[in-house]
Amino acid sequence: QGTHSRSTISDFFGVGEERSHEREFTFDADHPAVLVGRDNGPTPVEFVLHALAACLTAGLANIAAARGVTLTEVRSTVTGDIDLNGILGLQPVRNGYQQVSVQLVVKGDAPEDVLRGIVEQSRQRSAVYDVITNGVPVDIEVEVA
C-alpha cells in the first residue's frame, strides 16, 4: 500500500555463470508518513547510502586480510544531502543526492598510513562508489498488462 514495496534477491550472474544465493533475501522499502508512506522500511535513497557503506566496508575487510592486517573496528557514517523539492516536482533541482559524505573510523594492528591506504584501495575498487560517482546508463522496459 502507498509507497511500500518489497524486493527479493535470490539469483545473480557471477564468475561466468548464473548462480543462486544460499537463501532468498527480502527487503522492504517505504517512505515516512510525511512523504505519503507508512515507514515500513528505509527509503530507496537510504538503501543507496547503505550500499555504499557496505561495499566500502567489505572492501576494507578483504584488502586488510590480503595484507595481513587485523582490523579491530570499522565504523561508518554515511550522509546525503537531498532536496525534496526535486522529488516532489516543486522546484527544478536535482531529484537525488546533491552531496554524499562518508566518515570512517578504522582501527587495526597497522600504522595509520597503512590503514589509510587500505581505505583508499577500497574506495578505488568499490563498485558502488563507481556507480554513484560515475553514473551508469539505465534502461527501463515497461510491460503493461
Side-chain angles (χ1 to χ4, degrees):
Q1 285 202 15
T3 61
H4 179 230
S5 65
R6 178 169 290 147
S7 300
T8 57
I9 300 172
S10 58
D11 302 321
F12 63 98
F13 186 87
V15 195
E17 63 184 75
E18 270 306 310
R19 298 177 180 272
S20 295
H21 287 284
E22 292 180 15
R23 64 183 177 92
E24 185 174 87
F25 298 97
T26 303
F27 300 95
D28 288 287
D30 202 354
H31 289 91
V34 70
L35 294 175
V36 196
R38 294 198 174 150
D39 216 13
N40 290 307
T43 64
V45 291
E46 288 172 314
F47 274 107
V48 172
L49 299 182
H50 165 71
L52 179 59
C55 193
L56 290 170
T57 301
L60 286 169
N62 288 335
I63 295 162
R67 293 186 183 185
V69 172
T70 299
L71 297 175
T72 56
E73 180 181 356
V74 176
R75 200 167 9 110
S76 61
T77 303
V78 185
T79 57
D81 295 328
I82 194 165
D83 186 339
L84 294 179
N85 286 306
I87 295 171
L88 299 173
L90 301 175
Q91 291 180 2
V93 295
R94 184 177 180 155
N95 294 338
Y97 289 117
Q98 297 177 29
Q99 173 69 41
V100 172
S101 299
V102 180
Q103 297 170 329
L104 289 166
V105 174
V106 181
K107 296 179 183 177
D109 66 355
E112 180 181 334
D113 63 324
V114 172
L115 294 174
R116 288 184 182 280
I118 292 170
V119 170
E120 177 55 23
Q121 187 175 358
S122 176
R123 183 198 63 79
Q124 290 174 4
R125 305 307 330 147
S126 169
V128 177
Y129 180 89
D130 177 73
V131 167
I132 291 171
T133 59
N134 293 314
V136 63
V138 176
D139 292 321
I140 297 177
E141 296 180 25
V142 178
E143 180 180 318
V144 179

